[in-house]
Amino acid sequence: MSEPVVYIQNLNLKYKSKIVLKDLNWSINRGDNWLLNGISGSGKTSLAKIIAGLQNAPGDIAINFDSNSKHPAQVLYVESWYQFKNVEGVANFYYQQRYTSLQVKETLTVEADLKLFGKENNLDFAEAEKIINALGYSAQRNTQLIELSSGEHKKLQLIKALWLKPQLLIIDQPYTGLDVNSRKSLNQLLDEIVADGVNLILICNDSELPAAINRFALLENGKITEVSSLQELQSETNQTLREMPDFLKVSPDYSSDSIVNMVNINISYGEKQVLKNINWEVNKGERWLLQGHNGSGKSTLLSLVNGDHPQAYANELYLFGNRRGSGESIWDIKQRIGLISPELHWYFDTSSTVWQTVASGLYDNFGLKLELPYSKAKQVDDLVNYFGLTDIKNETLSTLPLGKQRLVLLARTIIKNPELLILDEPCQGLDQQQTKYFNQLVDELCSNGMTLIYVGHYESALPNTLEKRILLDKGHVKIIEDINIFAEDA
């Protein structure tokens, strides 16, 4: 019998006093392609990084590459999180910078980044072309990295991984930010590289998987347990909502019946037109679902609504009853909005504690270090408790697993009881139970008359409160409709 590709014995890992992995044993044989599942914070990402040699931990681990394989003797770990650098090798960007044309030139284009990757790994660019086309990514080739949405960044990571074809490929949250068609195309591409001799581990909670996935593992209480089917991993535990804080039970203090009014909006970057003749009106208390394929213009549309896009002044755009450019500041707008998005999470200061992060939503900064008056501090305490974060309120965001970080930022989003709540893919990084819990929370929050714009690709992972839908396609409004039953085309 041949040696396993990965052999792990008595692996242990601790973060401070918390035991993450305890005497973990796992063997991955050639031809075995695993789905690794577990609740947020169970240690899945840490285990993947240990296997890939990116993190150390006590225990025995052996990687046995096949000397006869045509594929690189390498374990490639594709993170759920993407960090790019500018042309000088600097990774620090501020949130609004992605919409500033002068700063855009500081990052590589997608094609330049891919060619650099190909050169570093001795790869034929013709092979990348096939993957680019299969994932519908051709339109992004000349786009600067800083302009990409979270789904477009994810595709770039995946293109590199599929192009490299290492002997062992581990992908953390492979479907994050991807539209329905892209998920299907990705599964076909993964099946192809597995048939070509690549071993695969996927870390996710999704049910639509590549046909090549033939083993299923649950990471729980520090140990790996193999189960026989995907269904065994999807046991559901209902989480009871706590009592909503009193300040969220009342309707937001609306300044206008009109929240958003776009009249023939056009947005371009050089010769590339991203939004084309957009007409859209959102009135107070309405609850919208915003959908569209990756690259359809959703992120740009939202950047106009939340005040971040400088081209708003060159268009006829009204927010909260006032035309942009009529004298209000960006902070006047942000005070009325609660926002969570993958892009905001990228640029957030994770050195703040959970409590400070939630409190920072009161003043729209990225990490509050000031003392609050008693009434405001109690408001933060009540919300931290409502989200079940009290036991970790003094921990820094950077020490938390991604799913917990997202829950903290979600709490920050609603601290003001805003007139407009913008939730852009809010459940990225959350497991199924957390996703269900959060969407129940959104339903309850919106019962007070809060206005909502919600971006989500998965029809099965949406709040029930949604009542209207706008669908973008290549920068155009394709559909505006009331929500009943709609085709899964987003």
Side-chain angles (χ1 to χ4, degrees):
M1 184 176 177
S2 62
E3 291 180 310
V5 178
V6 178
Y7 178 74
I8 300 172
Q9 192 169 29
N10 297 326
L11 189 65
N12 290 275
L13 183 65
K14 256 185 167 185
Y15 286 130
K16 296 182 179 179
S17 59
K18 181 185 177 184
I19 295 174
V20 180
L21 305 177
K22 183 173 175 59
D23 298 327
L24 182 144
N25 301 306
W26 195 19
S27 291
I28 299 173
N29 297 311
R30 301 189 198 287
D32 288 347
N33 301 290
W34 290 83
L35 174 69
L36 177 59
N37 199 291
I39 64 170
S40 178
S42 59
K44 304 184 297 296
T45 293
S46 295
L47 177 58
K49 288 183 175 180
I50 292 167
I51 295 172
L54 302 174
Q55 186 171 333
N56 295 319
D60 297 322
I61 179 166
I63 310 293
N64 302 301
F65 294 116
D66 182 358
S67 58
N68 296 317
S69 174
K70 62 183 178 181
H71 302 302
Q74 183 178 342
V75 180
L76 178 64
Y77 169 63
V78 178
E79 297 188 71
S80 61
W81 203 248
Y82 184 83
Q83 181 67 69
F84 61 89
K85 298 179 180 180
N86 67 11
V87 292
E88 295 178 351
V90 177
N92 294 320
F93 295 90
Y94 57 87
Y95 180 53
Q96 288 87 358
Q97 190 170 348
R98 64 194 299 261
Y99 305 113
T100 306
S101 59
L102 292 177
Q103 301 290 356
V104 161
K105 296 173 184 176
E106 291 190 4
T107 60
L108 294 173
T109 64
V110 165
E111 184 160 333
D113 186 58
L114 285 172
K115 285 184 175 177
L116 180 61
F117 179 82
K119 184 177 179 181
E120 291 171 345
N121 292 279
N122 246 349
L123 300 173
D124 180 2
F125 195 77
E127 293 299 313
E129 297 268 16
K130 299 175 186 176
I131 304 167
I132 290 169
N133 292 333
L135 286 177
Y137 205 63
S138 298
Q140 279 70 46
R141 292 174 65 137
N142 295 317
T143 302
Q144 305 285 329
L145 296 183
I146 198 172
E147 292 180 295
L148 298 176
S149 67
S150 61
E152 290 166 341
H153 272 298
K154 191 69 182 187
K155 283 188 180 182
L156 181 56
Q157 290 177 280
L158 293 168
I159 288 167
K160 291 178 180 178
L162 293 162
W163 187 17
L164 181 64
K165 289 196 283 193
Q167 290 193 29
L168 177 59
L169 176 58
I170 308 174
I171 309 180
D172 201 342
Q173 303 301 330
Y175 307 104
T176 294
L178 299 190
D179 58 52
V180 172
N181 290 338
S182 296
R183 295 197 297 268
K184 292 176 180 176
S185 297
L186 174 61
N187 284 342
Q188 292 173 356
L189 291 166
L190 290 171
D191 282 335
E192 288 174 11
I193 65 167
V194 166
D196 199 33
V198 172
N199 264 84
L200 182 64
I201 302 173
L202 298 185
I203 303 173
C204 66
N205 300 298
D206 299 271
S207 56
E208 295 179 15
L209 301 168
I213 294 295
N214 54 12
R215 306 293 290 272
F216 305 91
L218 177 66
L219 181 52
E220 189 176 36
N221 299 322
K223 296 181 182 293
I224 287 280
T225 303
E226 184 175 1
V227 299
S228 61
S229 69
L230 176 64
Q231 287 68 35
E232 287 188 55
L233 293 173
Q234 295 179 327
S235 59
E236 197 168 293
T237 302
N238 291 324
Q239 189 172 354
T240 304
L241 290 175
R242 294 174 170 83
E243 177 70 17
M244 183 184 286
D246 289 340
F247 74 91
L248 290 176
K249 293 179 180 178
V250 299
S251 176
D253 185 14
Y254 282 109
S255 55
S256 170
D257 288 344
S258 175
I259 304 300
V260 179
N261 188 11
M262 297 185 174
V263 182
N264 294 326
I265 297 290
N266 290 277
I267 299 293
S268 299
Y269 302 123
E271 296 181 358
K272 180 182 178 182
Q273 192 166 3
V274 181
L275 295 179
K276 306 167 187 176
N277 300 318
I278 300 293
N279 290 281
W280 184 36
E281 187 168 6
V282 177
N283 295 310
K284 75 174 186 179
E286 292 181 344
R287 300 177 294 280
W288 284 84
L289 173 63
L290 168 60
Q291 291 189 311
H293 296 302
N294 298 131
S296 62
K298 300 187 301 297
S299 295
T300 302
L301 187 74
L302 290 180
S303 72
L304 291 167
V305 175
N306 63 42
D308 284 323
H309 206 297
Q311 292 188 43
Y313 299 105
N315 282 276
E316 190 175 349
L317 170 64
Y318 301 86
L319 299 177
F320 307 101
N322 298 311
R323 181 163 179 171
R324 286 294 274 134
S326 61
E328 82 291 351
S329 73
I330 186 175
W331 303 115
D332 292 329
I333 293 169
K334 288 186 176 297
Q335 185 59 32
R336 306 175 191 277
I337 296 174
L339 167 70
I340 184 65
S341 71
E343 290 81 8
L344 183 142
H345 197 167
W346 287 347
Y347 302 112
F348 202 87
D349 176 11
T350 57
S351 67
S352 300
T353 67
V354 168
W355 197 95
Q356 289 169 338
T357 298
V358 176
S360 72
L362 288 166
Y363 301 104
D364 301 296
N365 58 22
F366 274 21
L368 186 74
K369 305 287 170 59
L370 302 174
E371 291 291 325
L372 290 179
Y374 173 79
S375 61
K376 294 294 185 185
K378 185 179 186 305
Q379 194 170 323
V380 176
D381 285 336
D382 288 348
L383 195 55
V384 166
N385 179 64
Y386 182 46
F387 271 84
L389 301 168
T390 302
D391 60 334
I392 58 169
K393 70 178 183 179
N394 294 319
E395 296 187 24
T396 59
L397 216 57
S398 60
T399 64
L400 303 180
L402 184 61
K404 284 286 187 184
Q405 289 186 32
R406 186 55 59 89
L407 284 176
V408 174
L409 291 178
L410 291 169
R412 175 188 182 271
T413 298
I414 61 172
I415 186 69
K416 294 177 299 188
N417 193 14
E419 295 174 56
L420 174 60
L421 186 61
I422 301 176
L423 303 178
D424 184 359
E425 304 253 18
C427 297
Q428 283 190 14
L430 304 188
D431 58 43
Q432 288 176 324
Q433 291 178 24
Q434 288 173 324
T435 296
K436 182 178 179 181
Y437 173 75
F438 177 70
N439 283 329
Q440 288 175 337
L441 173 63
V442 172
D443 289 334
E444 187 168 328
L445 284 169
C446 288
S447 67
N448 75 352
M450 190 179 294
T451 308
L452 174 67
I453 299 174
Y454 192 108
V455 181
H457 291 297
Y458 291 87
E459 185 181 348
S460 60
L462 297 174
N464 294 322
T465 191
L466 296 167
E467 58 182 8
K468 294 177 178 292
R469 177 191 187 223
I470 177 171
L471 175 66
L472 297 184
D473 181 32
K474 298 178 182 177
H476 292 281
V477 173
K478 184 177 180 181
I479 296 172
I480 289 181
E481 63 182 356
D482 292 333
I483 290 181
N484 288 308
I485 297 173
F486 49 81
E488 194 177 74
D489 56 2

